[in-house]
Amino acid sequence: MKIYSTALFLLLSLFCEVTAQNDKMVLVKGGVYLPLYGAEDKVVKIEPFKMDVLPVSNSDYLKFVQENPQWKKSNIKRLFADESYLTKWKNDETFIGLPNAPVTTVSWFAAKKYCECQGKRLPTMDEWEFAAMANEDVPDAREIETYNQYILGWYETPKTYNNPIGETFKNYWGIYDLHGLVWEWTLDFNSVLISGESRKDVDKDSNLFCGSAAIGASDLMNYAAFMRYAFRGSMKARYSSQNLGFRCAKDVEN
Amino acid sequence: MKLNLKKIFVTKMLVGLCTIAFLSSCVNDQSDKKYNDTVDIPVNQEMTAELTSPPFVPTPIGKRMAKKLIVDLEIQEREGEMTSGVKYVYWTFGGTVPGSFIRTRVGDEVEFHLKNHPDNKLPHNIDLHAVNGPGGGAESSFVAPGHEKVFSFKVLNPGLYVYHCATAPVGMHIANGMYGLILVEPEGGLAPVDKEYYIMQGDFYTEGSYGDRGLQAFDMQKAIDEKADYVVFNGHVGAMTGDNALTAKVGETVRLFVGNGGPNLVSSFHVIGEIFDKVHVEGGSLINDNVQTTLIPAGGAAIVEFRVDVPGTFILVDHSIFRAFNKGALAMLKVEGEENKTIYSGEIRDGIYLPEGGVIQSMPTAGNKTVKEEIKALSFEEKMQFGKDKYMATCLACHQANGQGIEGAFPPLAKADYLNADVNRAIDIVLHGKTGEITVNGKNYNSVMTAQALSDEEVSNVLTYVYNSWGNSKKEVTPEMVKAVRNQ
């Protein structure tokens, strides 16, 4: 019986209601960038893509579970989300907090499914990092001190997940909340493996620290980025977290 | 027959006694058995470790056997107070800085449960210097918010060890307070003493400078440059002063478990007015006797022991002394009991000796540096609050929490005739310092107060606070009054 229901669930999971909601997206033109984990000469090319202007909100997510009941708190399969899934929701259809606060405590499977139901997908880690390099004025603000101080300051501010979406700064691409609100799932969040023992990572994979970059006092940006990679490294696809939400992205149709 | 019976009885008794003797020798054999290698010490039974917040430590292990010891430690990221009016977001093991004290004995098998509170933003881990294994446990304990990691280790080396978080960026996690101490007692425990306390030094780096009000963010650049704004014992300024001072009675032996979390600074740990009878150097097995100041490296510890012989307040400091009086590295041990004039007489005679003349010391002033706009007090209540904060940050070390001063050294401000007699003189002393003999409430004082580098606003706040506390004359001092004295 259990096997049947799981199979049925998996089958059902292939289909879902496609209702576009809060679907405002902007174009991120793409380009090349040197990620934190890359070697000096290994720049990554980002194809143009579209990204949601805002993270998914509590009310967006409520609509999703109403239309796709197998993702409700009481119906979710443990394979797809552990006990912390929607942990602070009072019941299947009652969230706690503001309707326009970002939805958090959702697993990667749930986030991925949500985006698929919108005809979208989760952004890749490189896409996310590329879009998030921007401040208000320039597409790559990683060398700018105020940009890094802002991010580090946010990492230290408790309970920002209670804030409404769209109230941090609008970046160069027109996207809000990449920094300052909650962490966000990416499609390949676990592709850079950080053991969490950062000193060990130093000798295991020197690419992670690309030579002098980790040592240089000017490289505040690495501290900020490191904490993101460390956070991602601590997660598994079925985990959820109070400070972790998501948004969707999409390929550009030719 | 009777005799025979008696004989049998006696024989039985003897056999019985022998058996008891034999059995007990067996038991003795087991408990006293010495193991050449602590790895071989067997454990029996399971117990949950008692964890304590600083400055307290758990019950000594005494004669207990090695056990399986369950340690449950929760990581919390929470806002706290660095000093009056200054907030800081601490990352903590167990809700305090330093984290909970863990007490074990050699041979214990520790089952460590590291829990990361669901509201936390960051993943963390723990590196215990008492662990023999890669990363000191860090690589098996990397835990996401809302999760729990379990790993276990056997403690093999007796000593006092630091534990800390080792998640990237390590320096930042430590700078925010993620450190604590784990004690591994030798077989049979440390020798019993009367009082035991837990103290840990740490340096903090904030966006604003010392005493700047409001929530202060961590400043990575200052941390890299090793320019600490705060150097404190047990996580914040005044953690063990005034009502929170450590206590002991004359004749008692005090043992301090002292650690240094860093992240950057090395501590020159000293107790003013005491000599350490015994120091477990660097927390290890080497014992040094009769030590004045012991060096505690960042990420290291020491156990110091001393008997307190006379009553009074003993000040614990990092003897890199500006840290003590200007950055917060100061704690107090209050000792009560009978005086002993042979050990310490107190002042016998006071004469004048001024070969170089009475030069007033002064603090360097800001020069032509642009001064940031300061927050002005808008009401009397706010003035009192700001004044109190400034008092706690600047004046407390000498004039004490309730303005009582220290007889013979620092004149009182509470119900002080000298203070209440002349407000302009009081302003002048705060602005320009004071050297030489004065009489306050019938007692003579002959010492030095340095000129204070405070703004007109700050002087008016702090003096208003002083005049409106502790039975003083309730004058309100305005910035204009301060300005007038400054321009004289």
Side-chain angles (χ1 to χ4, degrees), chain B residues 126-192:
Chain B
I126 192 166
D127 167 354
L128 300 115
H129 291 179
V131 169
N132 291 278
E139 68 165 18
S140 358
S141 60
F142 186 47
V143 57
H147 284 261
E148 171 185 345
K149 278 280 169 76
V150 182
F151 65 104
S152 88
F153 58 91
K154 190 171 179 76
V155 284
L156 304 179
N157 309 63
L160 181 62
Y161 299 93
V162 167
Y163 65 78
H164 63 90
C165 181
T167 304
V170 184
M172 182 172 177
H173 284 255
I174 293 176
N176 283 337
M178 299 197 77
Y179 45 77
L181 291 178
I182 174 169
L183 173 67
V184 183
E185 294 201 53
E187 176 101 44
L190 294 168

Side-chain angles (χ1 to χ4, degrees), chain A residues 13 15-20 64 68 71 112-120:
Chain A
S13 311
F15 309 99
C16 58
E17 292 291 326
V18 182
T19 316
F64 165 73
N68 303 280
W71 292 94
K112 180 168 171 285
K113 177 54 69 182
Y114 177 100
C115 290
E116 282 165 8
C117 289
Q118 313 288 316
K120 301 177 187 174

Side-chain angles (χ1 to χ4, degrees), chain B residues 31 91 106 110 126 129 177 219 294 297 313 403 432 449-450 476 481:
Chain B
S31 65
W91 299 348
V106 279
V110 180
I126 192 166
H129 291 179
D219 190 318
T294 192
T313 300
H432 302 119
M449 170 166 161
T450 58
E476 187 173 346
M481 288 160 72

Side-chain angles (χ1 to χ4, degrees), chain A residues 156-157 183 196 200 223 243, chain B residues 120-121 125 127 139 169 176:
Chain A
E156 288 203 290
T157 313
W183 305 106
K200 181 183 168 192
Y223 281 96
N243 280 293
Chain B
N120 290 349
K121 199 166 267 169
N125 62 9
D127 167 354
E139 68 165 18
N176 283 337

